[in-house]
């Protein structure tokens, strides 16, 4: 509220292009999978990605047009840009909390933000509940739940009957569902390229509609991704929380002399959590702006009262004070201030740790992140490798085991799963898988035939 006052991974991987298996691989062309299998495998790959890029638009529950270009990790962190009715903002999700940074026009036109608040939060990071934006980025783009929005593909058709088109220069199959259209790659490794949906979740802030997003894997460089997230998280030290209540009481001026003058504002935390409070004051004298000051206080506990002192020490104040002392008459001065809660900033240490872990992944036999290989059972040479992947938890084998049918449908007589290594976190696991993919591509010239995750185009 505005107020005015007067007065390195250690794993040996035995895979090589010169090795031979028990049976020679077949050279017969693989039969095209059914449309249902193509969509199913594409969804499996989407869920298996460490991070995904989304670029597109949707309509929020209140009717606002929202465009987004964001990268979302498997754990729910996100960063990128968005616009609401063509007004742009930077976006960051850390520790399951949404933060926005935007100019004055954005905040003035975003419903739920008082006009008096907008000038203070402009060009600063702001903690924003999803209901304010009308979009819960983390929940909508969670790869475990996003596929539930895709609906059911219409009765299966042979691949040659499915409409083919191009999206971002790539040949795709246009697969209609009961909630929209999915666009998947027309050839191996297939993969989701775009989705156009008429509706989304059933409750705010996921009850959006007209979702139209292109999709690309962003698992390729987890180290850089987490470094960027950590760097952005450090900027949140001064982020505002305008939706936590801070009650403002009386004010007074004190210690006003030739060098400086201070305004003291009484405050009370009326929220339910401890908060720090920032006060920013713009000073005027004889109708002219003579400077500004900033101050912080706290943390204040719930219902705790305190004071914030904001001191102006500008050349303009000194000039005003000396003139007032030497020229008879009235010389009014005052300050217009805003007091607002600051967030408790997230600790970026965990993000930095993940960046380091992805840069130099280390095997951990007790870890719950498992890097696996799906291959033809005839042997371990490159011709038998179908894909690499990452799965979590004690029952991790369920993820690759469910893909064996796709492997055999891809031309292998039979397929098996090998565990390559275990690691302690997903960043290192995906980094290891990327190393294996890169090594394979270095030998063969292309990624494994079913490799969508961690296989950036060259």
């Amino acid at each position: 509220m505005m107020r005015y006052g007067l007065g390195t991974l250690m794993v040996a991987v035995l895979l090589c292009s010169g090795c031979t298996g028990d049976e020679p691989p077949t050279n017969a062309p693989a039969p095209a999978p059914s449309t249902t299998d193509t969509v199913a495998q594409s969804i499996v790959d989407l869920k298996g990605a460490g991070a995904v890029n989304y670029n597109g638009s949707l309509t929020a529950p209140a009717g606002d047009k929202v465009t987004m270009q964001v990268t979302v990790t498997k754990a729910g962190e996100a960063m990128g840009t968005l616009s609401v009715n063509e007004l742009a903002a930077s976006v960051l999700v850390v520790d399951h909390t949404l933060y926005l940074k935007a100019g004055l026009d954005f905040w003035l036109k975003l419903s739920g933000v008082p006009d008096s608040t907008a000038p203070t939060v402009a060009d600063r990071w702001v903690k924003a509940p999803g209901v304010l934006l009308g979009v819960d980025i983390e929940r909508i783009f969670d790869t475990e739940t996003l596929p539930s929005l895709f609906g059911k593909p219409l009765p299966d058709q042979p691949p040659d009957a499915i409409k083919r088109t191009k999206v971002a220069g790539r040949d795709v199959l246009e697969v209609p569902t009961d909630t929209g259209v999915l666009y998947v790659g027309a050839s191996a490794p297939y993969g989701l390229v775009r989705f156009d949906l008429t509706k989304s979740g059933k409750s705010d802030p996921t009850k959006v509609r007209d979702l139209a997003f292109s999709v690309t894997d962003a698992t390729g460089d987890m180290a850089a991704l987490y470094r960027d997230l950590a760097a952005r998280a450090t900027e949140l030290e001064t982020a505002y929380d305008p939706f936590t209540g801070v009650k403002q009481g009386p004010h007074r001026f004190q210690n006003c002399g030739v060098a400086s003058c201070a305004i003291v504002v009484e405050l009370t935390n009326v929220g339910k959590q401890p908060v720090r409070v920032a006060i920013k004051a713009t000073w005027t004298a004889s109708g002219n702006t003579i400077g500004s000051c900033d101050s912080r206080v706290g943390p204040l506990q719930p219902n705790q009262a305190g004071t914030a002192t904001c001191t102006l020490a500008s050349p303009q104040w000194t000039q005003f004070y000396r003139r007032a002392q030497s020229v008879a008459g009235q010389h009014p001065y005052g300050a217009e201030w805003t007091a607002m809660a600051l967030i408790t900033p997230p600790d970026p240490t965990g993000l930095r740790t993940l960046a380091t872990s992805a840069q130099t992944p280390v095997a951990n036999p007790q870890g719950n992140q498992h890097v696996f290989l799906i291959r033809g059972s005839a042997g371990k040479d490159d011709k038998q490798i179908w894909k690499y992947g990452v799965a979590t938890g004690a029952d991790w084998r369920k993820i690759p085991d469910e893909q064996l049918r796709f492997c055999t449908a891809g031309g292998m007589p039979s397929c098996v799963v090998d565990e390559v290594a275990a690691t302690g976190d997903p960043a290192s696991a995906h980094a290891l898988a990327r190393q294996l993919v890169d090594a394979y591509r270095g030998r063969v010239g292309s990624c494994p035939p079913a490799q969508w995750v961690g296989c950036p185009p060259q």
Side-chain angles (χ1 to χ4, degrees):
M1 178 183 297
M2 190 76 72
R3 296 289 298 274
Y4 186 80
L6 296 175
T8 300
L9 184 69
M10 305 301 293
V11 174
V13 183
L14 301 177
L15 297 172
C16 66
S17 59
C19 301
T20 58
D22 300 327
E23 300 176 10
T26 178
N27 292 320
S34 69
T35 303
T36 300
D37 281 351
T38 299
V39 171
Q41 179 61 37
S42 298
I43 290 175
V44 167
D45 286 333
L46 179 68
K47 291 182 176 182
V52 179
N53 294 321
Y54 300 95
N55 187 356
S57 64
L58 55 81
T59 302
D64 295 316
K65 179 76 170 183
V66 181
T67 65
M68 279 189 278
Q69 187 170 354
V70 293
T71 301
V72 184
T73 72
K74 184 74 172 179
E77 299 99 355
M79 67 179 192
T81 58
L82 59 78
S83 69
V84 179
N85 299 326
E86 301 185 349
L87 295 172
S90 297
V91 59
L92 181 65
V93 178
V94 179
D95 288 350
H96 312 292
T97 302
L98 171 66
Y99 301 94
L100 299 174
K101 184 178 182 181
L104 178 60
D105 286 348
F106 180 93
W107 296 112
L108 284 173
K109 295 185 179 181
L110 188 64
S111 59
V113 178
D115 288 352
S116 60
T117 298
T120 302
V121 302
D123 301 316
R124 299 282 294 269
W125 283 110
V126 175
K127 180 180 178 181
V131 68
L132 176 71
L133 188 62
V135 180
D136 190 324
I137 294 173
E138 181 182 358
R139 288 170 60 190
I140 289 177
F141 296 120
D142 180 351
T143 55
E144 288 298 320
T145 58
L146 176 61
S148 67
L149 308 179
F150 294 162
K152 298 179 180 179
L154 300 185
D156 203 8
Q157 305 177 54
D160 57 0
I162 293 292
K163 181 179 178 181
R164 290 175 176 249
T165 186
K166 283 185 178 290
V167 173
R170 182 176 175 186
D171 292 325
V172 298
L173 303 176
E174 187 175 310
V175 182
T177 76
D178 58 3
T179 62
V181 179
L182 304 180
Y183 299 88
V184 297
S187 58
Y190 309 105
L192 185 66
V193 177
R194 180 183 172 88
F195 58 87
D196 290 3
L197 309 175
T198 57
K199 58 185 177 180
S200 180
K202 297 181 180 180
S203 60
D204 293 345
T206 63
K207 191 171 61 178
V208 298
R209 63 183 189 275
D210 304 326
L211 294 89
F213 283 88
S214 62
V215 177
T216 55
D217 174 55
T219 312
D221 194 346
M222 299 296 285
L225 175 58
Y226 276 107
R227 281 197 300 270
D228 290 345
L229 282 165
R232 284 293 180 91
T234 60
E235 298 175 10
L236 299 177
E237 173 66 28
T238 57
Y240 284 126
D241 182 1
F243 305 100
T244 292
V246 176
K247 181 180 179 181
Q248 300 180 54
H251 71 278
R252 63 183 183 277
F253 294 102
Q254 70 177 23
N255 299 329
C256 294
V258 65
S260 63
C261 185
I263 185 171
V264 181
V265 180
E266 296 185 12
L267 308 165
T268 303
N269 174 15
V270 296
K272 297 181 179 180
Q273 302 292 331
V275 296
R276 299 174 301 150
V277 181
I279 183 170
K280 181 176 182 179
T282 299
W283 294 67
T284 58
S286 300
N288 299 313
T289 299
I290 59 172
S292 62
C293 62
D294 297 272
S295 178
R296 298 184 196 175
V297 63
L300 298 178
Q301 299 301 314
N303 298 315
Q304 181 183 355
T307 59
T309 302
C310 194
T311 301
L312 175 68
S314 69
Q316 293 91 336
W317 166 261
T318 298
Q319 293 170 7
F320 164 75
Y321 186 86
R322 286 175 172 167
R323 185 170 59 253
Q325 293 296 308
S326 60
V327 178
Q330 294 184 341
H331 300 276
Y333 65 92
E336 188 178 63
W337 73 88
T338 302
M340 190 173 296
L342 295 166
I343 72 162
T344 300
D347 185 353
T349 302
L351 297 172
R352 294 193 187 105
T353 299
L354 289 171
T356 301
S357 183
Q359 186 70 41
T360 55
V362 177
N364 177 2
Q366 305 303 316
N368 69 342
Q369 302 292 323
H370 301 268
V371 181
F372 62 80
L373 163 67
I374 300 178
R375 62 175 175 83
S377 58
K380 296 185 178 181
D381 60 82
D382 284 333
K383 292 181 179 180
Q384 296 294 317
I385 296 175
W386 189 66
K387 74 175 290 188
Y388 294 97
V390 174
T392 302
D395 60 347
W396 68 270
R397 282 189 176 272
K398 181 179 178 181
I399 301 297
D401 284 348
E402 290 179 346
Q403 299 178 62
L404 293 179
R405 66 185 180 92
F406 301 127
C407 178
T408 54
M412 300 284 187
S414 61
C415 298
V416 296
V417 176
D418 293 333
E419 181 180 19
V420 178
T423 72
D425 62 76
S428 61
H430 282 290
L432 168 57
R434 170 67 187 275
Q435 289 178 1
L436 295 170
V437 171
D438 287 348
Y440 177 99
R441 182 152 59 175
R443 298 190 302 267
V444 177
S446 61
C447 293
Q451 195 72 48
W452 184 79
V453 176
C455 184
Q458 288 186 322

